[in-house]
Amino acid sequence: MTPGHGPARHIVFLGPPGAGKGTQAAELARELGFLHLSTGDLLRAAVTEGNELGRAADGHMRAGRLVPDDLVLAIVRERLARPDAARGFILDGFPRNLAQARALEAFATLELVVSFEIDPRLVVQRLSGRRICPTCGTVYHLDSRPPRVAGRCDRDGSELVQRPDDRAEAVEVRLKVYAEQTAPLLEHYRRLGLLRGVDAAGTPSEVSARLRRLVAGAAPEARSPTERL
Ligand code: AP5
C-alpha cells in the first residue's frame, strides 16, 4: 500500500523530541484499534521496574543519548510479534537511526512514515511544560493540557513529575542526537516513497485532524511525498 492510496496500517511517527508524536500516536492507535509502540515508554517502564534492560538504558536516557540498538531492537521485534500488533501498529520513537531502520525492514513492512514538522522553539516550549504521571504514563502539559487538579493525574491522582530528560541540558543533547542520527531517516524514507509530512504546530485536535486525513489516505490535495497536510 502506498501513501495516499488507502488507509495505512503499518505506520512510523518520526520527528524531534516534543513534536507531539506520543500524544497523537496514543489517540490515533486507540481510535483505530492499533498497537501504539513507544520505545521510550517501554524503556521508561523498564527503568521504573529496575530490570536488566532498565539498568542498561537508564544512564543513556537521562543524558539524552540513544540506548544501544541491540537492546531496542530486541524489544520491538518481540512486541510486534504479539497478536495485538496484527491489526496495525504505530511506531513512536522507533526507528531512530539508519541501522534500526534497516533492521526493522527485516521483520516488518511499513506503509507510511509521518514526519512531524515543527519549529524547534515550539519543541522547547512543549518539553519544558511537559509533566507525566509516573503511575499510568499519561502525558500533560502545564499550558496546553493541564490536569484538572494542579500537579495530580486525572486518572489515578498520582503526583505528576518532570521527565529527567526534559531538563535543559538533556534536551540540548536530544535535539543534537535527533539532527545527527534520526533526521537522515527522512531522506531514507523519502527515497522509499513512504514519507509524508504533517504540520505539527497548532492545537492537539488540529494536528490530529490532519493526521487522520493523512492516515486514511483521504488527502487528494497532497500528492507529493513530502507535501504537508
Ligand atoms: P522518547 O520517549 O521516544 O522521546 P522523544 O522522541 O524525544 O519524544 P518525546 O516523548 O520527548 O516527545 P513526543 O514527540 O512524543 O511529544 P509528546 O506527545 O510527549 O525517547 C526518550 C529516550 O528513550 C531517548 O532519548 C533515548 O534515550 C531512548 N529511546 C527511545 N527510543 C529509542 C530508540 N528507538 N533507540 C534508542 N534509544 C531510544 O508532547 C510533548 C509535550 O507537548 C507534552 O506535554 C504534550 O502534552 C504537549 N503537546 C503535544 N502536542 C501538542 C500540541 N499540538 N500543542 C500543544 N502542546 C502539545
Side-chain angles (χ1 to χ4, degrees):
M1 201 173 299
T2 53
H5 292 82
R9 293 188 310 116
H10 294 173
I11 304 167
V12 165
F13 281 2
L14 200 61
K21 306 179 297 295
T23 301
Q24 295 297 335
E27 186 184 316
L28 190 64
R30 196 166 39 241
E31 202 175 291
L32 299 173
F34 289 3
L35 170 70
H36 169 205
L37 201 169
S38 158
T39 42
D41 286 351
L42 292 175
L43 290 166
R44 275 184 290 281
V47 170
T48 304
E49 209 179 290
N51 62 25
E52 200 181 327
L53 171 65
R55 289 194 298 278
D58 194 19
H60 297 288
M61 294 178 78
R62 279 177 188 278
R65 296 187 304 266
L66 294 186
V67 169
D69 291 344
D70 54 338
L71 298 179
V72 178
L73 276 163
I75 52 175
V76 174
R77 193 182 285 112
E78 188 274 326
R79 201 59 197 81
L80 287 188
R82 291 201 214 162
D84 61 350
R87 185 152 173 195
F89 57 76
I90 301 177
L91 300 183
D92 159 19
F94 179 91
R96 281 293 236 272
N97 57 30
L98 274 170
Q100 292 183 7
R102 294 202 171 108
L104 173 66
E105 279 151 27
F107 58 88
T109 306
L110 298 179
E111 293 165 352
L112 176 66
V113 176
V114 180
S115 162
F116 280 60
E117 297 173 352
I118 189 159
D119 185 322
R121 281 168 303 187
L122 205 47
V123 153
V124 171
Q125 204 179 312
R126 287 188 184 176
L127 291 176
S128 61
R130 174 165 55 189
R131 296 293 181 273
I132 61 166
C133 172
T135 309
C136 70
T138 303
V139 177
Y140 298 89
H141 190 279
L142 297 178
D143 304 318
S144 64
R145 199 183 173 198
R148 285 194 291 271
V149 176
R152 295 277 165 192
C153 179
D154 292 349
R155 292 190 182 172
D156 53 39
S158 300
E159 191 173 349
L160 302 181
V161 297
Q162 185 169 35
R163 264 172 50 175
D165 61 346
D166 280 348
R167 286 173 296 107
E169 319 82 81
V171 166
E172 206 177 304
V173 177
R174 287 162 66 200
L175 291 172
K176 193 161 177 280
V177 167
Y178 177 78
E180 290 175 0
Q181 301 192 45
T182 309
L185 289 180
L186 297 171
E187 187 48 34
H188 176 74
Y189 287 124
R190 186 174 290 123
R191 272 195 264 112
L192 292 174
L194 294 172
L195 190 73
R196 297 290 297 274
V198 74
D199 179 2
T203 64
S205 50
E206 284 166 348
V207 179
S208 119
R210 293 177 197 134
L211 271 171
R212 263 193 231 107
R213 282 189 286 143
L214 195 153
V215 167
E221 76 274 25
R223 305 307 306 172
S224 126
T226 51
E227 202 172 329
R228 285 173 172 194
L229 276 182

